[in-house]
Amino acid sequence: MTCPELVQLELLAEVDALAEALGQWADQSPPWQPARPCTALVRRLLERVRLIRLRLESPLVVAIIGGTGVGKSALANALAGDQVAKTDRSRPTTRQPTLVCRPSTTPEMFGIEPDSVTVVHRDLPALANLVLVDCPDPDTTESPEAPDTNLARLRHILPHCDVLLVATTQQKYRSARVADELAAAAAGARLVFVQTHADVDQDIRDDWRQVLEPHYTPGHVYLVDSLAALADAGNGLEPRGEFAGLMDLLTRQLAGAAAARVRRANLLDLAEETLGACRQRLDAAIPAIAALEEAIELQRARLAARLTGPMRDELLASRRVWENRILGQIAARWGFSPFALLLRSYQGVGGLFFGALVFRARTPAQVALWGAIEGVRTWRRHRRERQAEARAARALAGCWDQTDLRAAALVIDGYSMEAGLPREAASLDAVAAEAAAAGESFVGGVASEVDSLVGRMAKRHSNWFTRWRYELLLGGMIGYLLYRPARNFFYDSWLNPQSRPLGLDFYLLSLFWLLVWCGLLMWSFSSRLRSGLRREIEKLAEGWAGPQPAAGVFARLEEECRRVQRYREELRRLHEHVAALRNRVTAPEEPLGFRVQGRGARGERKR
Ligand SMILES: Nc1nc2c(ncn2[C@@H]2O[C@H](COP(=O)(O)OP(=O)(O)OP(=O)(O)O)[C@@H](O)[C@H]2O)c(=O)[nH]1
Ligand SMILES: [Mg+2]
């Protein structure tokens, strides 16, 4: 494979990859107001990319632009080496772009509509590697309402051109109209600056360079006499002086692989400039998104405090129920022993009493908590009555104070409007639905936290040391109380005839003291448990500080914000990728000129 072919293939692959990435980025744009103009800009860029791709294999298209009468048509003739475009003293002369090319070349090859140009086919040597476009001027005063003006025709043709030959004269080099059009078209093209009328005008190139330099790197600025150059060509003479340099640049230096490099540089310039403009827009709009994200966190923290406060109170108020559960688990771990039996009886009585508490639940937090905790046990029993689930769901929704939700939704709606995001996500209905789901997941989380807390505490309070201490204390008391009746029965009644069997009083008293002892032991055991439980619940509630319990509220809006951030991040990545490519690709800059990125050429028109 030859070098130019390889360059061409590389360029094709690069253009395709870039177009695909840009297309994907534009397709994934979020419903965010500032994204709209950026997406539109990138779609226009893609159209330009399509045009550049279309003419990748074709000769370079060199457009000659400049104010009326500066000698564009005369320069086209000089470059072609023949009379190809009409020149005249009456202004304006050229009204439609004139495409000067070899007979094998057609406007369609460059994506140009044939009706929009006058095609001049000439088999001239100068046209071997380039196509000349003699453009109409941008400064003829015409009715701006007229649909078909010189300016409109000029704007229509410029995106199809690779190199802009900017012609001027001593009189016109400061023309604002021309500068504006140049600024708009320059990003997608290399530039060659030419002063005409070298035979009659002063050399203003230094001053012109100064006018250009804030916005352009002008490269070599040529000074030519087009009429003399055309006459030389007609007489079969070789080009001379500055004109020879210009001819050499266009016909030799920019031929072949250089043409591909020019196109690649143009494409990357255009892409970098467009993406840079998009980034500027998005960067300007992003603080409003950050403010919205901050406001969401703040409102969540507020709502969460409203949710966690009652939940903590509820957990503390139901301490006896947790205690009872822990006792049940401890008894189950200990299996069959006197103290385990005592625990079971105590827990059984407690269960009867506290089980009723579940059904006396009144506050939304209570109902929600019990709905979640008893989800497996109590509610399932009632499942046949389908109302049970609806009741739990209502209770979960009721965890939130509707006034709080409305206030939060209003605040966030203001921020999302400011940020340019769709407002439906901040509507009360949407927020209420999100709040219900968030409440449900929070309460579900609390239920499982309580469950593991009960398990943890049961484990902590059922170690061997604790167990044997209580077993010994209870067993000792039982042994002590059994000693006298046993002695009375086995020893006294057989060996001591004077003794009498113990009366009912003794047994009642023994039972009384046994109960008192059991009570004391239970009191000691459960009071330790209870104080530990309080600490654990407080610790649990401390873990709910911050916006986390209300994380699901404004989730849709938060997702939109994330999408916007991803969209912006992707743009930054694309822009940096294009900038890196641009720095790597060396266009044959010298003596070509080009637009300086990021310096905002004057009067830039939106592409
Ligand atoms: N002496 C001299 N005259 C020139 C030169 N270039 C162009 N002219 C003359 O300037 C006049 C205008 O030239 P054109 O080529 O028609 O100018 P243009 O820029 O195409 O003008 P429009 O088509 O109206 O935009 C003609 O009479 C040319 O002969 C030059 O280098 N030297
Ligand atoms: Mg002309």
Side-chain angles (χ1 to χ4, degrees), residues 385-397:
E385 302 161 32
R386 289 184 59 87
Q387 296 160 334
E389 277 181 29
R391 202 169 129 201
R394 265 203 312 278
L396 291 166

Side-chain angles (χ1 to χ4, degrees), residues 198 210 327 417 516:
Q210 277 178 20
L327 288 175
M417 195 169 72
V516 168

Side-chain angles (χ1 to χ4, degrees), residues 280-394:
Q280 263 180 15
R281 280 172 184 266
L282 299 194
D283 286 353
I286 212 73
I289 292 285
L292 171 62
E293 284 175 321
E294 222 170 85
I296 288 178
E297 283 296 282
L298 200 75
Q299 292 303 322
R300 275 183 183 163
R302 275 196 193 139
L303 288 172
R306 296 292 198 128
L307 184 67
T308 54
M311 202 50 82
R312 174 186 161 276
D313 296 346
E314 178 51 30
L315 283 185
L316 284 174
S318 320
R319 263 200 335 278
R320 299 302 299 263
V321 183
W322 318 133
E323 184 191 324
N324 213 42
R325 293 237 171 120
I326 296 168
L327 288 175
Q329 287 200 13
I330 295 174
R333 280 166 170 270
W334 284 356
F336 192 78
S337 72
F339 195 69
L341 269 180
L342 176 62
L343 284 181
R344 271 183 209 286
S345 348
Y346 181 79
Q347 188 236 348
V349 175
L352 276 181
F353 178 73
F354 298 120
L357 198 85
V358 174
F359 296 101
R360 281 194 283 105
R362 275 187 306 270
T363 67
Q366 260 177 320
V367 181
L369 182 64
W370 287 112
I373 286 179
E374 298 296 310
V376 187
R377 297 188 341 169
T378 320
W379 293 123
R380 190 167 285 171
R381 260 188 259 144
H382 291 257
R383 213 167 199 169
R384 272 172 239 109
E385 302 161 32
R386 289 184 59 87
Q387 296 160 334
E389 277 181 29
R391 202 169 129 201
R394 265 203 312 278

Side-chain angles (χ1 to χ4, degrees), residues 155-447:
R155 285 177 180 174
H156 193 71
I157 193 76
L158 286 185
H160 301 271
C161 304
D162 303 301
V163 177
L164 302 185
L165 233 149
V166 188
T168 199
T169 57
Q170 187 184 353
Q171 290 76 35
K172 288 224 166 175
Y173 72 99
R174 287 179 177 273
S175 158
R177 272 302 266 292
V178 177
D180 286 351
E181 287 315 306
L182 178 60
R190 297 290 103 180
L191 309 172
V192 181
F193 294 92
V194 183
Q195 181 191 347
T196 59
H197 292 71
D199 52 327
V200 288
D201 285 356
Q202 274 177 19
D203 183 351
I204 48 82
R205 287 180 296 168
D206 284 343
D207 196 31
W208 193 20
R209 238 183 241 112
Q210 277 178 20
V211 174
L212 291 171
E213 250 153 21
H215 311 298
Y216 304 93
T217 299
H220 183 80
V221 181
Y222 296 87
L223 175 64
V224 300
D225 173 359
S226 306
L227 301 185
L230 179 64
D232 283 353
N235 295 328
L237 297 174
E238 284 296 313
R240 285 175 290 152
E242 286 274 310
F243 185 77
L246 181 60
M247 277 301 280
D248 184 64
L249 170 71
L250 296 179
T251 56
R252 198 182 57 77
Q253 292 180 46
L254 295 186
R261 288 213 303 278
V262 164
R263 286 196 172 112
R264 176 157 43 180
N266 286 346
L267 178 70
L268 292 175
D269 268 10
L270 195 62
E272 196 190 354
E273 185 154 325
T274 308
L275 297 183
C278 290
R279 269 185 84 179
Q280 263 180 15
R281 280 172 184 266
L282 299 194
D283 286 353
I286 212 73
I289 292 285
L292 171 62
E293 284 175 321
E294 222 170 85
I296 288 178
E297 283 296 282
L298 200 75
Q299 292 303 322
R300 275 183 183 163
R302 275 196 193 139
L303 288 172
R306 296 292 198 128
L307 184 67
T308 54
M311 202 50 82
R312 174 186 161 276
D313 296 346
E314 178 51 30
L315 283 185
L316 284 174
S318 320
R319 263 200 335 278
R320 299 302 299 263
V321 183
W322 318 133
E323 184 191 324
N324 213 42
R325 293 237 171 120
I326 296 168
L327 288 175
Q329 287 200 13
I330 295 174
R333 280 166 170 270
W334 284 356
F336 192 78
S337 72
F339 195 69
L341 269 180
L342 176 62
L343 284 181
R344 271 183 209 286
S345 348
Y346 181 79
Q347 188 236 348
V349 175
L352 276 181
F353 178 73
F354 298 120
L357 198 85
V358 174
F359 296 101
R360 281 194 283 105
R362 275 187 306 270
T363 67
Q366 260 177 320
V367 181
L369 182 64
W370 287 112
I373 286 179
E374 298 296 310
V376 187
R377 297 188 341 169
T378 320
W379 293 123
R380 190 167 285 171
R381 260 188 259 144
H382 291 257
R383 213 167 199 169
R384 272 172 239 109
E385 302 161 32
R386 289 184 59 87
Q387 296 160 334
E389 277 181 29
R391 202 169 129 201
R394 265 203 312 278
L396 291 166
C399 285
W400 302 99
D401 185 320
Q402 293 301 306
T403 326
D404 288 346
L405 279 182
R406 192 170 295 119
L410 261 175
V411 171
I412 296 301
D413 181 45
Y415 276 95
S416 64
M417 195 169 72
E418 198 112 308
L421 280 174
R423 292 169 61 193
E424 307 88 69
S427 72
L428 185 60
D429 284 351
V431 174
E434 284 176 336
E440 193 173 335
S441 106
F442 170 67
V443 176
V446 172

Side-chain angles (χ1 to χ4, degrees), residues 511-528:
L511 185 64
F512 169 75
W513 284 115
L514 181 63
L515 288 178
V516 168
W517 189 240
C518 285
L520 275 172
L521 288 182
M522 266 328 296
W523 173 81
S524 143
F525 190 83
S526 64
S527 59
R528 270 193 63 222

